Amino acid sequence: MRLSQRLRRPLRHLPHGPIIRLSPPEFLLLGFVFFSLLGTLLLMLPPASEEPLAWHQALFTAASAITVTGLVVIQVSELSLFGQLVVLGLIQIGGIGFMVFAALTLLLLGMRLPLRQKQLVKESLNYTSYQHLIHLVRLVIAFALIMETLGTLLLAVAWVPRFGLQEGLWVSFFHAISAFNNAGFSTWSGSLTADVANPIVNVTVSLLFVIGGLGFIVVAELVEWRRIGSLSLHARLVLHATFWLALVGMLMFLLLEWHNPATLGGLESLPARLQAAWFQSVTPRTAGFNTLDTGSLDEPTALMTMLLMFIGAGSGSTASGIKVTTFVVMLLVARSFLRGGAQPTVFRHSLSDMTVFKAVAVALSGMLLIFTCLFVLTITEPGKVFFDLAFESVSAFGTVGLSRGITADLSLAGQATIIVTMILGRAGPISLGYFIATRQPKGLKYAQGIVHIG
C-alpha cells in the first residue's frame, strides 16, 4: 500500500482490534511532525506568552522541544507559565520516546500494538525480547519520573535559597526535566553560566543527562548487576565508551582552553576550572547546557565539541547523535581491517555483519544529513561565518542545543533547515531512507564483484 493511502487510512480494523498501517519509521517521523505542529498551535495561544509569538518562532521552539534539542530563537523566559509547561510536556514526550508513549497510549485505549510497532519500541529501548515489553515501558516512565524528582530536590538545595521557594522549585523542576531528557532548555538566557563554580548544580545536572544518555536498558542492568552478576556486551561498550569520551574530552578541554580568558582562563580557582572542563566535555553528548560561553571557545575546542556532538550518547536513551555504540563499532571495524581480521571483535565477542552494516549506514546517513544542512545554510545565510554554520548543523543533527550565537539570526529558510535537521536527527537519519524507499522483494543473488577501496 502506498504512503498516501496509508496516511488516508492509517488504521486497519480487525476482529481483535484496530492496528496501525504505518511502518515504524513513518509512524516515528510523522509523530514528531504532529507534535511539532501541535506545540506550535499551543505556543501561539495568547496565554503562552506576554507578547504573541510569530508562527515561525512557535514552530522552531516546538520542534526544538519535541526533539529535545535546545536551540532557541526566543528565550524560555519570554514564555508564560503555560508556555513553559507546553515546552516541558514536549520535552518529556520527545525525551523518553514518542514510541514509548505511543505504545502505552494505544494499550490504554484498548488497541493492539502491531508487531512492527513492537519492534520499534523494542529497538528504541535496546530490548532483546518481546516478553514483558509493556512492563518495561511502564518501568521506563517510572524511572524517568523518579530521576526527575530527585534532580528537582537536589537543584532546589542550590536555587531555593537564591530565588525563594516558589521560583526556586520551579526552575529546579524545569531544569531537572530538561537535563534528564538531554534537552538543554534553560529558563535563563545564559544557560548555567552563573553556576559554573557551583558543585551542586554541576554534579546534579551532569549526572542527570549522563544517566539519561546511557539508555534505559543499561541503567536496568546496572540496578540488577548484583543479582545477575554480569553485564551485556552492549552495556559494557556503552559504559566504557562513555567513560573514555568524558575523560579524554575533559583533558583536551583543559589543555586547549586553560589560557583562554573568555573560558577557563577567566576562572580563578582550580575546582571551578575542573568543574567547567568536566561539564563542557559531557554536555556535547546531546545535553545542550553550558556553563561557559560556547561562542568564546577556541576553534580547536569547538571542533572537538562538534565531534562529541556527532557521536552522541547511548542507544535507547534520551540522547541522539549516531550513538556511542555506532562510533565504537566503526573503530572496531577499522582496527579489524588494519590487523587483517575477518570480523571485528571486542570483549571476546565478534560483531555480526548486520551490526557492522547498520553502523555504517547510520554514520553515513548522519554525515550526509549534516552536509546537506550545512550546504543549504551556506546558501540561505551568506553573511554568516562558515565555521559557525557548521557548528549549528552538527548541533541540530545531534539535537544538542549548543550554539555559537547565530540561531536567532538565521533567516526563515535557515530556521526551516534547522527544524528539518533536528527532526531527522532525533528520529534517526536512517529512518528517512525507510520513509521514502520502496521495499523490494528478495530476488536473485548476484555474483560478488570486486571494488577497490582506499
Side-chain angles (χ1 to χ4, degrees):
M1 182 181 292
R2 293 181 179 180
L3 175 60
S4 58
Q5 295 175 323
R6 294 197 299 272
L7 290 177
R8 287 196 298 267
R9 299 179 60 188
L11 294 180
R12 180 183 178 186
H13 295 276
L14 296 178
H16 48 267
I19 64 171
I20 299 175
R21 294 178 184 269
L22 298 174
S23 68
E26 293 168 352
F27 194 37
L28 189 64
L29 282 172
L30 292 175
F32 279 114
V33 172
F34 169 78
F35 278 106
S36 296
L37 296 177
L38 177 61
T40 300
L41 295 176
L42 293 175
L43 289 175
M44 290 182 67
L45 294 175
S49 59
E50 295 182 1
E51 297 183 4
L53 299 180
W55 67 268
H56 59 89
Q57 293 176 322
L59 176 60
F60 193 98
T61 303
S64 183
I66 192 63
T67 58
V68 291
T69 302
L71 291 174
V72 293
V73 293
I74 62 166
Q75 298 301 323
V76 176
S77 57
E78 298 178 30
L79 299 175
S80 65
L81 177 60
F82 172 76
Q84 293 181 14
L85 285 172
V86 170
V87 170
L88 281 185
L90 293 173
I91 288 173
Q92 191 75 85
I93 294 174
I96 294 180
F98 164 72
M99 284 303 301
V100 174
F101 276 105
L104 189 61
T105 302
L106 291 175
L107 290 163
L108 291 176
L109 292 175
M111 300 174 63
R112 186 171 68 90
L113 194 65
L115 183 61
R116 289 182 299 178
Q117 272 67 50
K118 283 186 178 180
Q119 175 70 17
L120 185 54
V121 175
K122 180 173 72 73
E123 291 184 356
S124 68
L125 293 174
N126 196 32
Y127 199 47
T128 57
S129 172
Y130 291 108
Q131 294 182 350
H132 311 299
L133 183 60
I134 301 308
H135 177 65
L136 178 63
V137 168
R138 295 191 180 99
L139 288 179
V140 165
I141 296 177
F143 176 76
L145 295 177
I146 291 173
M147 292 302 302
E148 290 164 356
T149 301
L150 291 175
T152 300
L153 296 176
L154 290 173
L155 290 175
V157 174
W159 287 336
V160 166
R162 188 191 310 176
F163 301 107
L165 181 60
Q166 183 175 350
E167 183 180 356
L169 285 176
W170 171 247
V171 295
S172 300
F173 178 69
F174 187 97
H175 286 85
I177 292 180
S178 184
F180 180 77
N181 290 285
N182 279 250
F185 277 87
S186 175
T187 55
W188 303 304
S189 59
S191 190
L192 301 178
T193 53
D195 292 282
V196 62
N198 190 321
I200 296 178
V201 174
N202 278 267
V203 172
T204 301
V205 173
S206 62
L207 284 181
L208 281 173
F209 61 66
V210 167
I211 292 174
L214 289 177
F216 296 109
I217 297 301
V218 175
V219 173
E221 287 192 37
L222 290 174
V223 172
E224 299 183 357
W225 189 7
R226 295 183 64 180
R227 183 177 64 83
I228 61 179
S230 62
L231 295 175
S232 67
L233 176 63
H234 171 79
R236 294 167 69 186
L237 281 180
V238 170
L239 293 173
H240 277 78
T242 298
F243 171 79
W244 285 109
L245 285 173
L247 179 61
V248 173
M250 179 179 177
L251 294 177
M252 290 297 295
F253 199 94
L254 287 169
L255 178 65
L256 296 173
E257 294 292 318
W258 187 266
H259 297 292
N260 185 348
T263 56
L264 290 186
L267 302 177
E268 297 181 358
S269 66
L270 178 61
R273 293 190 179 194
L274 293 176
Q275 288 182 77
W278 156 259
F279 197 94
Q280 295 302 134
S281 71
V282 292
T283 194
R285 309 287 303 289
T286 84
F289 290 104
N290 59 285
T291 56
L292 297 173
D293 181 18
T294 305
S296 299
L297 296 176
D298 291 333
E299 289 192 354
T301 314
L303 190 60
M304 180 190 69
T305 302
M306 291 169 65
L307 174 61
L308 294 175
M309 291 192 297
F310 178 72
I311 295 172
S315 300
S317 70
T318 60
S320 298
I322 64 170
K323 304 298 191 298
V324 292
T325 45
T326 302
F327 178 69
V328 171
V329 168
M330 298 294 291
L331 292 180
L332 294 174
V333 169
R335 185 188 69 173
S336 177
F337 172 77
L338 294 175
R339 291 181 175 181
Q343 278 186 310
T345 59
V346 60
F347 298 136
R348 297 183 179 180
H349 287 77
S350 62
L351 302 180
S352 67
D353 291 340
M354 184 57 65
T355 299
V356 174
F357 293 155
K358 186 176 181 180
V360 172
V362 169
L364 182 59
S365 299
M367 289 187 288
L368 290 176
L369 180 57
I370 292 172
F371 174 83
T372 303
C373 176
L374 178 57
F375 179 78
V376 175
L377 289 180
T378 56
I379 297 174
T380 62
E381 318 299 322
K384 299 292 189 300
V385 179
F386 178 82
F387 189 85
D388 293 345
L389 293 177
F391 193 95
E392 197 85 3
S393 300
V394 178
S395 182
F397 161 76
T399 67
V400 181
L402 295 177
S403 175
R404 292 177 67 84
I406 66 170
T407 310
D409 298 327
L410 295 176
S411 64
L412 290 181
Q415 291 182 17
T417 303
I418 294 296
I419 290 174
V420 173
T421 305
M422 290 189 297
I423 292 176
L424 294 179
R426 180 56 182 163
I430 203 170
S431 294
L432 179 61
Y434 284 127
F435 189 74
I436 62 177
T438 301
R439 294 181 178 271
Q440 299 290 339
K442 293 182 179 181
L444 298 176
K445 292 184 67 175
Y446 296 98
Q448 290 186 348
I450 297 177
V451 177
H452 298 286
I453 304 296

